[in-house]
Amino acid sequence: MNKPRLIYFDAPVSRGEECRLALHVAGVDFEDVRVSAADWPAMKPRMPYGAMPVLELPGRAPLAHSNAILVLIGRRHGLHPSDDVEAARHEGMMQHVEELRAAVSPTLRMADAEKKSAREALVAGFLPNWANAAERNITATPFFAGDKLHVVDIKLYQVVRWLGSGKVDHIPAEIFAAYPRLIGVHDAVRDHPGVKSWYARG
Ligand SMILES: N[C@@H](CCC(=O)N[C@@H](CS)C(=O)NCC(=O)O)C(=O)O
């Protein structure tokens, strides 16, 4: 192996896609390893914590947990603050995104009736509370910290894109419409040249 390898499911979503996007925006030449659902059970025990994404760097032990991977990419390539207190503020928001995923992910495995009531409950309570807290902590525009994109913005983008897509059953596409800073981060990341070039590739 002579270049970084990012290992994740073969889908343009969630924790893996945010790591791919961060690597691409950072200009890193990496191997985009796509794992099929059929191959995953055999690979799972070999992953550091039994999950993906995993980042392999030449000559180093594999790295896991999306926030650790994103912070590493960000630190190396100017996409995470050098000020340690500001960095911790960004990492707090990244953890906030993981808390949203922890709340929504169990519903992915539910049968229809249970899924409907669980998601309606999230729409009535957890998601507006989550979005209010996110909005309060986005203190600048258009990105989380002003004019410059950081890995935290890529992470926020992924969840707003997912839950605001209108394709997640029982979650309305306008779930985050009342939160202009959150939508602003999403739109600014979507329109960033590095992000556009990732989605424009063949
Ligand atoms: N805390 C981990 C969570 C990783 C995780 O749950 N990954 C999911 C995909 S997004 C996964 O690998 N699921 C398959 C499995 O756990 O078997 C992170 O931030 O990367």
Side-chain angles (χ1 to χ4, degrees), residues 113-130:
E114 188 190 6
K115 179 181 289 186
K116 182 171 187 300
S117 66
R119 288 191 177 164
E120 284 172 353
L122 289 170
V123 168
F126 178 89
L127 287 171
N129 288 338
W130 182 92

Side-chain angles (χ1 to χ4, degrees), residues 8-9 14-15 40 44 50-53 65-67 98:
Y8 192 68
F9 292 112
S14 194
R15 300 175 177 107
W40 171 238
K44 184 175 170 74
M52 298 185 287
H65 288 301
S66 53
N67 285 351
E98 282 303 312

Side-chain angles (χ1 to χ4, degrees), residues 43-149:
M43 292 179 65
K44 184 175 170 74
R46 300 201 302 272
M47 298 292 122
Y49 296 96
M52 298 185 287
V54 166
L55 178 66
E56 295 181 348
L57 298 176
R60 307 298 294 261
L63 300 168
H65 288 301
S66 53
N67 285 351
I69 293 170
L70 288 170
V71 166
L72 176 71
I73 298 165
R75 280 203 190 114
R76 283 189 163 187
H77 300 283
L79 298 173
H80 198 57
S82 51
D83 178 271
D84 56 358
V85 176
E86 178 65 356
R89 196 176 75 84
H90 285 223
E91 288 155 32
M93 181 61 86
M94 292 164 76
Q95 180 60 29
H96 191 52
V97 171
E98 282 303 312
E99 285 171 14
L100 180 151
R101 287 189 174 132
V104 177
S105 295
T107 70
L108 298 171
R109 293 177 286 278
M110 290 175 184
D112 283 352
E114 188 190 6
K115 179 181 289 186
K116 182 171 187 300
S117 66
R119 288 191 177 164
E120 284 172 353
L122 289 170
V123 168
F126 178 89
L127 287 171
N129 288 338
W130 182 92
N132 262 311
E135 189 78 1
R136 269 201 316 276
N137 285 282
I138 301 171
T139 51
T141 61
F143 296 109
F144 179 72
D147 287 341
K148 185 176 163 2
L149 176 140

